Amino acid sequence: PSAGAVMPARTKTSKATSTTVHVLAESFHRALKRVDHARARGNDSRPVLTTVCIEPDIQGLALLTADNYRLARAVVPLIEEKWIERVLLASDGIPILLAWLKGREGMVAVSRSGDRALIFEAGVERIAVALLDGTFPNAAEKIPALSGPPDGYRLVAVLARFVRDLLRADPESGILHFWTKGPLDPVLVESGDDYREVVMPVRTSI
């Protein structure tokens, strides 16, 4: 299959599959939708930036996306389980996974099928989203952890279209906070206590 193809429901999980974790379908769908806008769609020169990175987080699973201007991070709680590795969801399968999760309720089991795919199961339904090899940017160096106020930041404004993208992805965001360390430093956007995104600043002369 292609790098991002969703595999047929008959795809079997290999013996190399890591421990299965369980997430609420609504939570995973919301997190995936929130970070999707910050992917570098159609960037053939840097395919890793077209992916969604999933990695362990102290609160559960962290979903990460990045382009040349933004780095987004959302967290999905796990139920007494831990995800142990970082994987990259290939771009072609992401919109299909979003559609599969939309409107779905209850728990979804997530597991890895060897090096090829991530398996999502809900009852008798299952899909497999292909994985991509690559090195994703280290979000820990750029986005502060989702706990407490960010030290050394101050309020600032950013381009309206970046805010519009975020609100389109998550219309229920409510109050947004914007922080920066200086006029030429990246801007940290915060929505509630479970989402932060880094955006390159607006550079203007006065």
Side-chain angles (χ1 to χ4, degrees):
S2 63
V6 173
M7 299 176 186
R10 64 178 180 272
T11 301
K12 294 184 179 180
T13 303
S14 73
K15 294 181 180 180
T17 299
S18 60
T19 302
T20 299
V21 298
H22 295 83
V23 298
L24 284 172
E26 306 97 311
S27 297
F28 198 95
H29 179 260
R30 184 176 186 229
L32 185 58
K33 186 177 178 182
R34 293 175 95 180
V35 301
D36 186 53
H37 70 275
R39 291 191 297 119
R41 291 175 176 79
N43 190 338
D44 295 334
S45 63
R46 297 188 67 187
V48 71
L49 295 184
T50 69
T51 69
V52 172
C53 174
I54 301 178
E55 68 177 14
D57 181 86
I58 191 171
Q59 296 173 298
L61 291 180
L63 275 59
L64 308 164
T65 56
D67 56 17
N68 289 325
Y69 304 97
R70 298 173 286 195
L71 178 59
R73 174 188 179 95
V75 175
V76 182
L78 294 179
I79 309 301
E80 298 182 355
E81 300 165 324
K82 291 184 178 179
W83 188 254
I84 59 175
E85 57 191 330
R86 169 183 278 196
V87 296
L88 303 179
L89 296 182
S91 60
D92 291 350
I94 294 169
I96 304 175
L97 178 58
L98 280 167
W100 187 80
L101 290 167
K102 185 177 181 180
R104 192 174 295 274
E105 299 179 349
M107 303 300 296
V108 171
V110 184
S111 60
R112 180 167 178 171
S113 178
D115 294 327
R116 297 181 58 211
L118 209 60
I119 308 295
F120 295 82
E121 298 182 80
V124 297
E125 297 183 42
R126 56 187 271 160
I127 64 171
V129 181
L131 300 176
L132 184 75
D133 291 329
T135 302
F136 196 85
N138 187 357
E141 296 177 353
K142 298 177 174 62
I143 298 185
L146 290 166
S147 60
D151 293 336
Y153 281 77
R154 65 184 185 185
L155 288 173
V156 73
V158 297
L159 287 174
R161 67 185 178 89
F162 290 144
V163 180
R164 185 174 62 247
D165 286 345
L166 175 57
L167 292 176
R168 184 182 295 119
D170 185 22
E172 300 178 1
S173 291
I175 296 175
L176 300 178
H177 293 96
F178 302 88
W179 309 86
T180 186
K181 292 182 176 180
L184 299 181
D185 292 309
V187 178
L188 176 65
V189 183
E190 183 181 80
S191 173
D193 60 0
D194 62 349
Y195 183 82
R196 281 180 175 172
E197 174 175 327
V198 169
V199 180
M200 294 304 294
V202 178
R203 302 190 179 189
T204 60
S205 58
I206 299 176

